[in-house]
Amino acid sequence: VIKRTTHKVNTSALNVRDAAGTDGRRIGGLTQDKEVVVLGTQGEWSKIVYGNGFGWVQSKYLKSIVNPFKDVKRSDYFKDAVLWAVNHNPQITNGTDPTHFSPNQNCTRAHVVTFMWRAAGKPEPSLTHNHFKDVKDTDYYYKAVLWAVENSITYGTSTDTFSPSNSCKRCEVVTFLWRWRGYQEPEGTSNPFDDLVSGAYYYKAVLWAYNHKPEQITSGTSTNEFSPEAVCTRGQIVTFLYRALK
């Protein structure tokens, strides 16, 4: 079993090579604070996940990211995504307390657009008019909602409501991500899911997420079910975000 650990680059620029050692051919580079997954070490070099394969970097330029959460285990599918979200600059989300992330807690619509907005770098929305009566300028998600509407990521649940406290469904989350990433055509057109109907507003978004490269954003809840109406959890949304931005 390969022990995967998450690290952050602690120098302004770091060469990635195809072999351990300065004789290895340079195949790319990493910048300050970039997070990487380390697969193993050889002497003073670390083997990392890079692109669709792997590369080698000098270990002294990597800083290990400590996991403070009792409810996030090394074997959890969302472990790398959680550490990425918590250590991202700006921070995408913190734990629900200093030692718990609460990965199985449901995410609301406000949570999801806020996580996305922070992952985008907290851009200042140019939209100044807020037509949602349930979104106030004092709400933590106020700018995130305006940003999401401005970028056609979501249009609210009606002409004057955003429903920020509503639980966000899996179909909504992948649609938000798909719209944010530019309405990309799916890499594949085959539909593996019995509960994904052609003509659904989220149809292309689900196929895009299923066929996403270099890593699948979601493979569904089973081999033939996507469960579009199921609520998205904190562990799922940070994982979807992490994979979508790879």
Side-chain angles (χ1 to χ4, degrees):
V1 177
I2 296 174
K3 180 182 177 182
R4 298 162 63 102
T5 56
T6 306
H7 291 65
K8 184 177 285 192
V9 175
N10 64 357
T11 187
S12 58
L14 182 59
N15 288 328
V16 181
R17 301 185 182 275
D18 66 355
T22 53
D23 292 337
R25 180 174 59 88
R26 185 183 184 278
I27 58 173
L30 301 170
T31 54
Q32 183 91 35
D33 291 332
K34 176 70 176 177
E35 291 184 12
V36 296
V37 175
V38 174
L39 301 174
T41 59
Q42 183 177 312
E44 298 178 349
W45 292 77
S46 292
K47 184 179 182 180
I48 65 167
V49 175
Y50 188 72
N52 292 324
F54 63 88
W56 294 86
V57 297
Q58 287 186 283
S59 302
K60 65 181 179 180
Y61 297 118
L62 298 179
K63 179 183 178 182
S64 178
I65 296 177
V66 177
N67 175 15
F69 302 121
K70 296 176 181 178
D71 54 0
V72 177
K73 300 179 177 63
R74 182 182 298 163
S75 58
D76 290 330
Y77 73 86
F78 47 76
K79 190 264 293 182
D80 288 342
V82 168
L83 297 183
W84 165 79
V86 170
N87 289 279
H88 189 274
N89 185 21
Q91 189 179 61
I92 294 170
T93 181
N94 206 341
T96 51
D97 67 40
T99 58
H100 294 87
F101 184 76
S102 304
N104 296 319
Q105 187 178 100
N106 290 346
C107 258
T108 64
R109 287 171 52 84
H111 290 147
V112 173
V113 294
T114 302
F115 290 179
M116 292 173 63
W117 176 65
R118 290 171 180 167
K122 298 172 71 172
E124 194 69 23
S126 56
L127 183 69
T128 55
H129 174 65
N130 169 29
H131 59 268
F132 298 125
K133 60 186 180 183
D134 54 0
V135 177
K136 300 179 177 63
D137 60 6
T138 54
D139 292 327
Y140 74 87
Y141 47 81
Y142 178 74
K143 286 187 178 182
V145 170
L146 293 187
W147 168 80
V149 171
E150 175 181 291
N151 287 279
S152 302
I153 292 168
T154 178
Y155 309 102
T157 52
S158 75
T159 55
D160 62 354
T161 57
F162 183 76
S163 305
S165 299
N166 281 12
S167 294
C168 204
K169 301 172 184 177
R170 285 170 54 85
C171 60
E172 290 178 305
V173 172
V174 294
T175 302
F176 291 176
L177 288 173
W178 176 63
R179 291 171 178 168
W180 179 32
R181 305 311 288 168
Y183 293 77
Q184 297 172 11
E185 284 296 316
E187 292 281 339
T189 56
S190 177
N191 174 13
F193 302 121
D194 293 339
D195 56 359
L196 178 62
V197 181
S198 177
Y201 75 86
Y202 49 82
Y203 182 78
K204 275 193 176 181
V206 173
L207 293 186
W208 166 78
Y210 181 80
N211 291 285
H212 186 266
K213 302 290 191 300
E215 186 176 1
Q216 199 174 43
I217 293 173
T218 176
S219 57
T221 53
S222 73
T223 54
N224 64 344
E225 291 183 326
F226 179 74
S227 304
E229 297 297 316
V231 174
C232 216
T233 64
R234 283 169 54 84
Q236 289 173 333
I237 182 56
V238 294
T239 302
F240 289 1
L241 260 177
Y242 177 61
R243 292 172 179 171
L245 294 177
K246 276 190 172 182

